[in-house]
Amino acid sequence: MAEPENDSLFEAPPLAEQERMVEAILFATAEPVTVRDLTGRMPHGCDPAAALAHLRKRYEGRGVQLVRIDNAWAFRTAGDLGFLMQKETVETRKLSRAAIETLAIIAYHQPVTRAEIEEIRGVSVSRGTIDQLIELEWVRLGRRRMTPGRPVTFVVTQGFLDHFGLENARDLPGLKELRAAGLLENRPPPGSVLDDQDPEEDDGDQGDMFEDDA
Amino acid sequence: MAEPENDSLFEAPPLAEQERMVEAILFATAEPVTVRDLTGRMPHGCDPAAALAHLRKRYEGRGVQLVRIDNAWAFRTAGDLGFLMQKETVETRKLSRAAIETLAIIAYHQPVTRAEIEEIRGVSVSRGTIDQLIELEWVRLGRRRMTPGRPVTFVVTQGFLDHFGLENARDLPGLKELRAAGLLENRPPPGSVLDDQDPEEDDGDQGDMFEDDA
Amino acid sequence: MNSDFQEDAARVTDRLAAEALIVDVGAFEGPLDLLLTLSRTQKVDLRQISILALAEQYLAFVEKAKELRLELAADYLVMAAWLAFLKSRLLLPPDPEEEGPSGEELAAHLAFQLERLEAMRKAAARLMARDQLGRDFFARGITEDVQRVRSVKYTATLLDLMQGYARIRTRDDFRPFVMDRDSVMTMEQSLDRMRRLIGFAGDWTDIASYLPEGWETDPVKRRSATAATFAASLELVKEGKVDMRQSDIFAPIHIRRRADRDG
């Protein structure tokens, strides 16, 4: 145990030792520490200002820096290493059924307008769904249709082809081939949940309609 | 957008730079960080182990020390400077003699069952004693013992090692001497049914202690 | 004479020690703890301890406690009985007829238990004497949280895509693709229509009755109009303009204007 009242009888610790003390105090204290605080905590006769100056130099270029905040001192991560304080996690999620269907329609019918997509799906397509596909860089805007209102069209991108391993959107199997491949066999009863390949969206078609509301 | 897959195209940062990174990461947290975590947070190709070795040397004799706790690392203030940190001192609940002895028995005999603790102390262990140690996060459940009744075992935690400044359980004071004197053996009373205990199991007891360290 | 005196003196010391122990009986953590304390009076290394002498000390302690009419816990008495048995085994020549461990084996085990308990106590003391986190050395005071940046990566397979397309195209009995906008009713259209009509619906009304004229017969048009009406109804519920109910699965859906929000 330290006995502060006796310290004055001894000489102040050597500067190197004072530097260690300042280092330890600044490291362990929960907030920046003023020189005055340091003086109060260190043995009598210490010169925290000198120790701070040495310590600051010692940490120059290191991963942490001794910085002055107002008239207090603290260690802080070097500015260029801030990126280490982030932890990135990538979460993989399955694309929603609405998005898959919209994407499929664009792929099979490109260039296609939003009205046409809605026509085919039989439900309105939310802005968010197409935005999501554009953000994924699987869909982009095509040329405007030369019909009244000059609606924009959507087409699939090279990124889409790469992701799905296609040379060309025309390589997508047609309905006949889909049927031949057994992909069309399970006709769901009307009004029921179509199939359970996407458990998150078990409200089926109707779920899509509310995307506009969301 | 970060593109982690591109990192491998670049060379890993120079060792001095990796040292700075490790320094920054460890300075930012109060908890020990595993080498695995460090690897995960640093750019691809970094070798935290080498950086840690350099960093440990750099901090030798400083007011702050780089310490190893199991397979994790942390900065801690030097033990001789504790007197400066009266403000930071955490008042810990005073442990009963029963709790302290139980903790020591778990540390030296781990993994150890409750019955074995009772056998060593000669009294039953009250429920609260082990609970208290678990609450302090100094003790946790280990694997069940593969003996009749499959009793649970207790082992000490990384938090225990951190608290007592131990690099691993092998560093427990006097461990070697105690083992050499046969005092860590689970010697059954003569004439008891346990007399012809599977010798493999005894080996297992001692071996386990080091598996945890690995 | 001299030796007698010494013996007496020793007995007095023992007796005083025993009395002190009895006063403190509550402070012992069971018989093993007491035995360890008693063993210290022998002032020898625990490896050389005389278990016979220790047994006698313990039995004397229990006798004393009885004299003082002190309530001793059962385990103290069990230990006393066991030590009396051990003592007899140690004193008497071994009976070749008798099974089980010899007195020496039992004594050796008790000595081991005492030594082990003593060792653990010393280990505990050494452990607690170490520098401790938060008392002698300290962790970082200003911590920086690691920010978790979560990025979501969406995936879909070619199969998802084809099945998705197949699903849409098979809903209409594989009818050829034509741009028949006139059989599709959008939710917006339906919402417009319902906003106008809802003011008249004071009581529960089947939403089917809100289908526009000419849309109820053609199945394609009816399907679209029903869906749009339903969606529009939900929108109105969300706005707090109507209440909605359905008594059972596939039962008609009813809506009613919410009276308290009138105006």
Side-chain angles (χ1 to χ4, degrees):
Chain A
M1 265 291 153
E3 291 168 342
E5 66 272 23
N6 282 353
D7 286 340
S8 57
L9 300 176
F10 305 108
E11 273 180 49
L15 190 56
E17 195 55 25
Q18 295 188 32
E19 205 187 307
R20 288 182 75 228
M21 293 177 180
V22 171
E23 189 178 31
I25 294 171
L26 294 187
F27 174 85
T29 309
E31 62 238 15
V33 186
T34 62
V35 173
R36 196 198 160 113
D37 272 353
L38 286 170
T39 310
R41 287 170 75 165
M42 289 163 70
H44 194 85
C46 282
D47 180 7
L52 279 164
H54 275 80
L55 202 60
R56 182 176 217 173
K57 214 165 232 148
R58 184 182 288 276
Y59 276 90
E60 244 164 43
R62 308 287 321 143
V64 283
Q65 305 283 291
L66 183 56
V67 296
R68 188 186 178 139
I69 300 140
D70 276 339
N71 59 344
W73 295 80
F75 282 116
R76 287 278 187 258
T77 307
D80 64 318
L81 297 179
F83 72 95
L84 291 170
M85 303 302 136
Q86 295 188 341
K87 202 174 198 174
E88 280 191 53
T89 51
V90 178
E91 202 177 289
T92 309
R93 259 187 236 166
K94 223 164 155 60
L95 205 59
S96 73
R97 179 180 191 135
I100 286 179
E101 290 186 3
T102 305
L103 181 63
I105 292 166
I106 296 171
Y108 276 89
H109 296 275
Q110 64 173 344
V112 63
T113 66
R114 185 198 183 93
E116 287 160 359
I117 297 169
E118 291 183 343
E119 183 81 42
I120 298 167
R121 286 196 71 213
V123 290
S124 63
V125 172
S126 80
R127 172 101 221 133
T129 303
I130 292 179
D131 283 353
Q132 187 189 18
L133 295 173
I134 291 173
E135 205 181 302
L136 281 167
E137 298 183 349
W138 286 347
V139 164
R140 62 175 174 82
L141 294 177
R143 265 171 300 182
R144 283 183 184 276
R145 184 68 53 80
M146 298 312 266
T147 50
R150 292 172 49 80
V152 297
T153 62
F154 299 98
V155 295
V156 291
T157 63
Q158 186 60 44
F160 165 89
L161 297 174
D162 291 346
H163 182 93
F164 291 94
L166 297 165
E167 294 247 323
N168 194 298
R170 279 186 298 256
D171 292 346
L172 282 167
L175 279 184
K176 265 187 202 157
E177 290 160 291
L178 289 175
R179 185 172 309 147
L183 287 162
L184 300 190
E185 261 163 18
N186 293 334
R187 284 215 64 205
S192 78
V193 171
L194 288 171
D195 59 26
D196 45 12
Q197 72 163 25
D198 192 351
E200 274 177 74
E201 250 202 290
D202 53 4
D203 47 358
D205 281 354
Q206 300 193 332
D208 297 340
M209 290 183 163
F210 307 121
E211 284 180 359
D212 276 331
D213 306 339
Chain B
M1 262 259 184
E3 292 169 342
E5 65 271 25
N6 281 357
D7 287 340
S8 55
L9 299 178
F10 303 109
E11 271 180 50
L15 191 57
E17 195 53 25
Q18 295 188 32
E19 207 187 304
R20 289 183 73 229
M21 292 177 182
V22 171
E23 190 177 31
I25 293 173
L26 294 184
F27 247 80
T29 172
E31 303 296 321
V33 182
T34 62
V35 174
R36 194 197 161 116
D37 267 3
L38 287 171
T39 310
R41 284 173 64 181
M42 289 163 70
H44 193 88
C46 282
D47 179 11
L52 282 163
H54 276 80
L55 202 59
R56 184 177 220 175
K57 228 176 217 135
R58 182 182 293 274
Y59 276 88
E60 247 166 38
R62 309 284 322 142
V64 173
Q65 305 280 290
L66 181 57
V67 299
R68 184 189 177 143
I69 301 132
D70 235 359
N71 55 352
W73 295 78
F75 277 115
R76 298 287 180 248
T77 61
D80 64 318
L81 299 177
F83 70 95
L84 294 168
M85 250 65 76
Q86 273 142 359
K87 253 194 190 167
E88 277 66 46
T89 303
V90 193
E91 270 306 313
T92 41
R93 197 162 26 147
K94 210 164 155 43
L95 285 177
S96 65
R97 195 176 88 170
I100 292 171
E101 278 182 28
T102 303
L103 178 64
I105 291 167
I106 294 172
Y108 283 83
H109 290 262
Q110 66 174 341
V112 64
T113 66
R114 187 193 189 90
E116 286 160 359
I117 298 168
E118 293 182 340
E119 155 80 12
I120 294 168
R121 298 198 66 229
V123 282
S124 61
V125 175
S126 74
R127 173 110 212 120
T129 305
I130 292 180
D131 285 358
Q132 194 186 10
L133 296 174
I134 290 174
E135 204 183 295
L136 281 166
E137 297 185 352
W138 287 351
V139 164
R140 63 173 175 82
L141 293 176
R143 266 173 296 182
R144 283 183 183 275
R145 183 67 56 78
M146 297 313 262
T147 51
R150 294 175 47 79
V152 298
T153 63
F154 299 98
V155 294
V156 289
T157 62
Q158 182 182 290
F160 166 86
L161 298 176
D162 191 14
H163 185 91
F164 291 98
L166 295 162
E167 195 164 312
N168 61 49
R170 270 171 297 203
D171 287 352
L172 282 165
L175 184 75
K176 265 186 205 150
E177 294 81 346
L178 288 171
R179 179 171 298 124
L183 291 169
L184 300 184
E185 284 165 28
N186 184 17
R187 204 181 289 176
S192 74
V193 265
L194 293 170
D195 217 2
D196 41 23
Q197 211 179 12
D198 191 350
E200 266 177 71
E201 216 234 316
D202 268 348
D203 284 351
D205 283 1
Q206 300 291 325
D208 256 41
M209 187 147 168
F210 300 106
E211 276 176 43
D212 274 11
D213 304 339
Chain C
M1 181 84 178
N2 196 13
S3 76
D4 267 7
F5 174 75
Q6 278 183 342
E7 211 165 284
D8 274 359
R11 272 186 193 156
V12 170
T13 328
D14 279 357
R15 210 189 63 227
L16 288 177
E19 279 173 4
L21 288 175
I22 286 164
V23 174
D24 276 348
V25 71
F28 292 108
E29 280 198 88
L32 201 61
D33 188 18
L34 172 59
L35 277 167
L36 189 58
T37 309
L38 288 171
S39 72
R40 290 205 187 100
T41 62
Q42 292 191 20
K43 295 190 175 95
V44 289
D45 186 319
L46 275 177
R47 284 160 200 256
Q48 270 102 56
I49 198 166
S50 162
I51 291 293
L52 186 57
L54 188 63
E56 278 170 349
Q57 278 175 280
Y58 186 93
L59 294 170
F61 163 84
V62 172
E63 274 309 305
K64 194 84 194 162
K66 273 185 190 155
E67 271 172 41
L68 295 172
R69 300 181 184 208
L70 225 73
E71 281 281 331
L72 278 184
D75 49 348
Y76 285 85
L77 302 177
V78 170
M79 179 60 92
W82 187 80
L83 286 173
F85 163 76
L86 175 61
K87 190 177 144 188
S88 69
R89 281 232 159 169
L90 287 171
L91 291 175
L92 297 173
D95 181 351
E97 297 284 294
E98 219 164 274
E99 295 273 312
S102 70
E104 275 74 24
E105 282 171 336
L106 294 173
H109 187 70
L110 179 58
F112 167 74
Q113 283 180 290
L114 290 171
E115 200 190 344
R116 186 174 58 180
L117 180 59
E118 172 89 339
M120 279 302 111
R121 294 210 165 143
K122 284 185 177 152
R126 285 174 76 179
L127 188 63
M128 298 314 281
R130 287 184 70 83
D131 280 353
Q132 293 182 35
L133 180 65
R135 192 188 75 181
D136 308 291
F137 62 94
F138 297 83
R140 179 73 167 129
I142 306 175
T143 55
E144 286 172 58
D145 287 331
V146 176
Q147 284 182 323
R148 298 201 177 258
V149 182
R150 206 178 60 168
S151 54
V152 179
K153 191 179 163 193
Y154 286 96
T155 62
T157 65
L158 186 59
L159 195 65
D160 294 332
L161 194 72
M162 294 187 302
Q163 283 175 335
Y165 187 64
R167 194 162 55 222
I168 305 161
R169 299 315 309 271
T170 51
R171 278 195 300 236
D172 296 324
D173 277 329
F174 315 120
R175 79 190 163 94
F177 174 64
V178 281
M179 288 292 170
D180 47 354
R181 292 281 300 160
D182 34 310
S183 358
V184 174
M185 185 166 187
T186 66
M187 190 190 82
E188 286 73 21
Q189 287 169 343
S190 197
L191 201 54
D192 274 353
R193 184 178 156 77
M194 291 189 73
R195 278 193 211 284
R196 276 183 275 119
L197 296 175
I198 193 69
F200 304 103
D203 206 350
W204 291 109
T205 321
D206 190 340
I207 60 165
S209 65
Y210 284 91
L211 298 194
E213 265 179 60
W215 285 70
E216 324 90 291
T217 42
D218 175 9
V220 178
K221 284 179 143 190
R222 185 186 162 82
R223 202 170 58 87
S224 175
T226 306
T229 307
F230 178 66
S233 305
L234 285 173
E235 183 62 30
L236 291 170
V237 170
K238 208 170 106 184
E239 289 173 9
K241 295 209 169 66
V242 301
D243 290 323
M244 197 173 196
R245 73 172 187 194
Q246 184 180 27
S247 55
D248 202 358
I249 300 170
F250 300 127
I253 297 164
H254 292 96
I255 55 170
R256 182 176 67 180
R257 179 165 55 94
R258 200 180 268 185
D260 52 343
R261 292 289 223 104
D262 202 7

